[in-house]
């Protein structure tokens, strides 16, 4: 269970890192959206490892195929199966982990839950599962583009203790993509590259913060009470592997302000009702207000490191482990398209929900 | 939509702050749990305003009634309707807000979404909606108590810039309840009381951070991928009014550690596999590992303040507003039982999901 | 579980026949529908027992109250709680059934499922639960009236072996309501009244068939595969107590035709594409085609009869029982508004689903 | 939407008859069930066309592959992707149907719904979609076999006007499989074969009734109100292409009995509480009572016939059509494994739901 996301724009991902493949079924995607495999491929390439020396050296080609739901270049309204074969599995890398639990991985908890685990890789806990999310996100983005002008941009805000200086209102995807660490502050970007290289050399890993913006989202998306827009975003982002925190708008820093400092006064701008400031982060009472949605997501340092660590075996013997396998010293640059995909899925779903009750 | 939470232990809250009443339907609560109205009442009294000079002066008696699903003191397994009448509404307080949008409230967004809003109070965005959550949480806690030893405790970690010093492993609910601000650090508690009083006098408001613990949760709860335990907790907490952030385990601070510092080594303790540290916050790969679950939730300063603020009217005229109504200068003490209720609902739901696939 | 119906227009009924009351929460009803309690009351009065000598003599006044979700006579878009108190319970009638299972009732199965049952009446299995469905149906009908011209009419097609002669294209609700057994064929109606009276005198009960029409349903409602319109109707109708069968269009009789006799040729009529015949019953491939939807539902004879019957006690002793309680010798006339309500709920839900993907 | 079935044992089918393939994702299948591709293949072979001269001559090999969720021969508890490539598509057969609507097919309604349709075959309305259901049913059957002794058997009860004589308590799958039309009454079977051959020669088609039994289902499965076991079965069966009706237990015939004739008296047998008769069809109040569940499903004559028929084109011109393509003159024999699969999916889902609240 738990592999389906969304109420109307519903995605179900499937696949382990070392089985036959990974992918997604999208059920509820409206008909008549133009799509081809190359557009999905382009986005998958953004999350692909091995794109730079910084990332994991797995040589996954991640070739996506559309197996259903698209006809003559357009969505049919029926389920879309997107499929990516696993090509570069090396189970022998994992042989040693058969009976050991890697620290801060999901090995122990999967076994506690299911009484069985796929020890040839991370199983469903592998970041490879996010291939399906990114692929589905391309369709969701198509839907948003057709129905409104919303644009979603994410980027690396900080790595380890190094924080970039970024103006959310001006960032463009192109600025993000120029940076090998997906940080649109060129100076910080260079330093981050050095940090990650150093960590790699040390066999260590780094975490950081990704910021995600959604501009020009129409007012009215999100539901009162449990399906608040920020609640669904929080769930979406915390479902990404290695995440440890979420903020919307002012976030934890906002708790240090007084109400008179924190409230966003209303005003008129460009002929419509706007807020003068945006500490709300584009959402009030769980519903979008038309301002830019601003969220931040904390990623822990990658659990897989090339250092010797203490652990126990399945039968309870204390021992040590130095995991093999090819892994990123810092997942943040590759996490950026995943964060964008999840934000896009949430917005597409809520857009359809709002259309159901109000039409267009 | 959006008023239902949970897959198997499902709660649906209903009611506006100024209509006939508020409450909840619980569908999926297992049979044969002993319950009476007084137990639910006791928990509702914890979130009731007016309990101290610090909180809102609304005199809601919040008398709960069980209208269905309980027979001879035991749950039947069928839907339980819990009902609390609204008794102390003063719509005249809100008359002035009929055509104005209160800053950082949901007035504007509800109207953008629905084309109509209940201006006599906050409607569904009112914190009064949480009555249903707290009431349902009592049943969820009963279920947990029957099935495992899990105990859920929340408390105020910080108000404004003042942070308490608390050892999560030792906090008891009794320590929390002794403090008028629900902060188990007596020294910090006294200062917090002063802070809140001062804010009230100034017509201003304060935010802060609530920490929530779940101890002795069995390993194996939570689902891979989208319904990770931390993802469902994040959604649950971000669905509480006035929340702006969520952390699990090491949270945002954890992003400043290296992998070698952040990983939780496995070890043996009390005859079973444990982690030596708990930066994971009791969850690995979305699934509980048997360690204490530790989460933190950021609450913004209450939007309702007694100060003059800029706003616009429904027809787009710039104007000023000083909202009337009786409101808390700081919602955190009252938010504590709501946070506990949401954590309990998430755990009860995942416990049932796990029973479905593994039995007991 | 299992008390919620619908994906977007979602109703959750609650309440036992002998607890505090029964009712429904509707979540997902669009905003701005005009509604007042009297309209709901009028529909509840149609299903009320005691309206004629034919029906059960319970004196339920069934006064409905709207507790939330409606403001100044219009729906808010938020959950609507409709509440009907139980006023005429006589638990003493049921005292004898405390330890006995009534034949063809749900006493035994509820106890097998839950290990507990509300023996003071039928609990959730009581037809009284349908109060919530009928009340919710009024809102669903409002929605349909706003969005399209669909009209739903049900009536009694047969009682016991007596079948009425009815032209589905001409039946009007007024014709149905004129008959005390809700059969629009006046001659058959008179005979049915006699049949029911005779059965009552004998302490016996009768079943029959209700036919339900939905005219002017727009083409395009219903989803491929599992949520076919006829599949959701079948579920809706089979969820009504005492139902044993469902047919759409040609039904079981259609299995005796050849394809060349059964197919509905397409033709042009009134300037649009129509079918020349309607053996499909208004649905093809799970999706409405704009023709009249025609369904039939089989109701068994009421299980409660005033005759001595063999049964066993909870501890497995063979014994006899003659149930007390006030019950209908024939539920069909009262089932008609319930059937209409369920059809309306299905269509309202699918209308919203279609709006989500295509707009209006 | 609408391609997902089940609450806990959830299947999502995908694929059109003439795209890359068809299949299913199963999410919620418990871990540790032994499974291999050959077992699934064996069941798919039962529904495969071309097995006899009676059925369609499409040469689909229908080779199933497991792409995820199974490791070392056991289910992992994570999503299982089952995939069958489309190998024998002949789109040219359908070229003529590009702008014509085949009578009693879904061509017109899909286009009304989506504004687009895959005219190269039936798209999602094709019976080929049921490959995914049958494949998923194998896993569901494994689960049932592990948890209880339930056995599900379906067979052809009637074709056209010819009804077989069958004792539901004695039928074995082996008896069914011996018959080329899957009718366990050898005499009727021979006549049915003749009937189908004759219809084929005439370019016509036949319908009929499939009966489905579920023996030794534990008491207590099914939920009150909307998710009654018979309601979920009705939905499951009516979601199968070409179905027009459903009966449980006494069905429509039962409406012609009086209550005193219809009620099932309780008695003791084999040391437990049983019913003396089984007009209830194994379900009372929506919940299984431990007796054999007996359901019947009406299938219309196949819509595709080799006769000239009247229809209209997309632009509203009246014309004639004689569809090409290879189709069964009678779908019933092939529908039998599909009916079994759907019954098995419903029971597996309700078994997990019951485990969630009561354990084992």
């Amino acid at each position: 269970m738990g592999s389906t996301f969304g109420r109307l724009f519903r995605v179900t991902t499937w696949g382990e890192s070392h089985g036959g493949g990974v992918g997604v079924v999208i059920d509820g995607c409206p008909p008549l959206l133009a799509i081809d495999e190359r557009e999905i491929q382009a986005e998958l390439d953004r999350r692909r490892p091995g794109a730079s020396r910084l990332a994991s050296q797995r040589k996954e080609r991640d070739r996506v195929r559309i197996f259903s739901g698209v006809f003559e270049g357009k969505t049919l309204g029926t389920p879309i199966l997107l499929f990516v074969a696993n090509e570069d599995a090396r189970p022998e890398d994992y042989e040693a982990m058969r009976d050991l639990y890697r620290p801060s991985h999901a090995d122990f908890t999967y076994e506690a839950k299911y009484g069985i685990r796929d020890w040839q890789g991370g199983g469903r806990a592998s970041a490879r599962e996010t291939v399906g999310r990114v692929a589905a996100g391309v369709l969701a983005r198509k839907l948003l583009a057709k129905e409104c002008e919303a644009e979603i941009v994410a980027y690396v805000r900080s790595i380890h203790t190094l924080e970039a200086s970024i103006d959310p209102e001006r960032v463009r995807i192109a600025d993000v993509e120029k940076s090998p660490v997906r940080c649109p502050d060129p100076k910080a970007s260079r330093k981050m590259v050095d940090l990650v290289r150093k960590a790699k050399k040390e066999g260590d890993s780094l975490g950081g913060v990704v910021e995600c913006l959604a501009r020009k989202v129409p007012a009215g998306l999100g539901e009162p009470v449990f399906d608040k827009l920020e609640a669904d975003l929080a769930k979406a982002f915390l479902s990404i592997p290695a995440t440890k925190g979420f903020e919307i708008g002012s976030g934890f820093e906002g708790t240090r302000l007084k109400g008179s400092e924190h409230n966003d006064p209303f005003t008129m701008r460009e002929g419509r009702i706007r807020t003068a400031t945006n500490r709300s982060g584009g959402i009030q009472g769980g519903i979008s207000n038309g301002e830019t949605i601003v969220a931040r997501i904390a990623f822990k340092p990658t659990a897989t490191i090339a250092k010797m660590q203490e652990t126990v075996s399945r039968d309870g013997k204390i021992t040590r482990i130095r995991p093999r396998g090819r892994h990123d010293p810092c997942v943040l640059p590759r996490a950026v398209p995943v964060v964008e995909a999840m934000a896009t899925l949430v917005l597409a779903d809520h857009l359809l929900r709002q259309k159901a009750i109000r039409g267009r």
Side-chain angles (χ1 to χ4, degrees), chain A:
Chain A
M1 287 293 290
S3 290
T4 297
F5 188 81
R7 178 174 292 271
L8 289 180
F9 194 101
R10 286 162 75 82
V11 302
T12 302
T13 73
W14 53 269
E16 282 82 31
S17 57
H18 289 74
V22 294
V24 66
V25 179
I26 309 163
D27 194 16
C29 183
L32 299 168
L33 301 176
I35 187 74
D36 69 26
E37 287 178 353
R38 284 164 303 176
E39 295 171 278
I40 302 172
Q41 192 62 53
E43 193 65 17
L44 287 185
D45 290 346
R46 288 184 70 205
R47 79 156 286 292
R48 199 161 51 87
S52 78
R53 300 284 313 173
L54 291 170
S56 150
Q57 294 302 310
R58 293 186 67 173
K59 284 195 195 71
E60 306 166 89
R61 274 176 35 226
D62 282 1
R63 289 291 308 164
V64 69
R65 285 199 54 192
I66 302 174
F67 273 114
S68 70
V70 176
F71 181 66
E72 299 185 333
K74 293 215 181 78
T75 57
L76 282 165
T78 53
I80 301 165
L81 181 79
L82 303 178
F83 181 93
V84 175
N86 287 335
E87 295 174 355
D88 185 37
R90 296 196 209 159
E92 65 279 10
D93 281 6
Y94 292 89
E95 186 67 39
M97 271 86 96
R98 187 169 195 146
D99 296 309
L100 295 183
Y101 301 125
R102 291 168 296 164
S104 290
H105 274 271
D107 303 338
F108 170 72
T109 52
Y110 269 57
E111 197 149 319
K113 181 173 194 65
Y114 294 122
I116 182 176
R117 76 184 156 97
D118 175 1
W119 49 264
Q120 294 181 333
R124 289 291 283 162
S126 163
R128 186 155 176 75
E129 175 274 333
T130 61
V131 161
R133 308 186 190 207
V134 170
V138 177
L139 273 301
R141 208 183 273 251
K142 287 265 169 177
L143 173 61
L144 288 182
K146 185 181 181 181
E147 298 277 344
C148 63
E149 297 172 73
E151 55 182 42
I152 289 97
V153 186
Y155 46 82
V156 172
R157 172 109 229 169
S158 71
I159 288 183
H160 199 227
T161 59
L162 182 67
E163 185 143 354
S165 169
I166 296 163
D167 176 357
E169 293 302 317
R170 290 164 181 269
V171 180
R172 301 275 158 252
I173 285 193
D175 304 329
V176 178
E177 293 304 297
K178 256 185 269 175
S179 157
V181 287
R182 291 211 166 90
C183 173
D185 167 353
K187 211 162 136 185
S189 171
R190 280 190 297 273
K191 288 188 194 165
M192 286 173 177
V193 169
D194 291 342
L195 273 178
V196 174
R197 281 205 181 118
K198 189 154 166 283
K200 188 180 170 69
K201 203 176 298 171
E202 293 168 355
D204 217 327
S205 66
L206 301 175
V209 174
V210 170
E211 191 161 75
C212 182
L213 313 174
R215 302 191 188 105
K216 298 186 191 161
V217 172
L221 303 195
E223 306 277 338
V225 186
F226 298 113
D227 296 353
K228 288 186 166 81
L229 196 55
E230 67 268 46
D232 278 354
L233 287 169
K235 174 169 172 136
F237 293 143
L238 263 294
S239 77
I240 301 173
T243 51
K244 302 301 288 182
F246 166 84
E247 291 184 323
I248 183 80
S250 62
F252 281 88
E253 270 304 301
T255 69
R256 306 166 77 88
L257 297 177
K258 294 187 178 178
S260 56
E261 299 161 334
H262 190 276
N263 279 358
D264 293 319
F266 283 107
T267 185
M268 296 299 293
R269 212 157 64 231
E270 297 152 19
R272 60 188 183 87
I273 298 174
R274 302 286 303 274
T275 61
T277 51
N278 186 22
R279 288 177 203 103
S280 299
I283 303 174
Q284 289 172 329
I287 299 167
S288 62
N289 66 356
E291 306 299 323
T292 298
I293 295 174
V294 186
R296 279 171 301 281
I297 306 103
F299 286 83
K300 69 174 184 179
T302 322
T304 306
I305 54 176
K307 299 201 165 191
M308 191 62 78
Q309 297 160 83
E310 289 184 15
T311 191
V312 297
S313 63
R314 291 179 68 203
D315 51 2
K317 294 219 183 72
I318 292 181
T319 178
R320 309 186 77 192
I321 190 174
R322 185 191 316 218
R324 292 177 58 188
R326 301 140 292 167
H327 293 274
D328 293 342
C330 178
V331 296
L332 276 87
R334 290 180 63 198
V336 163
V338 182
V339 164
E340 287 179 10
M342 291 311 298
T344 310
L345 290 173
V346 169
L347 291 171
D349 192 43
H350 277 283
L351 186 89
L352 294 185
R353 290 170 79 163
Q354 180 66 359
K355 280 190 73 177
I357 59 164
R358 297 299 301 278
R360 276 173 53 91

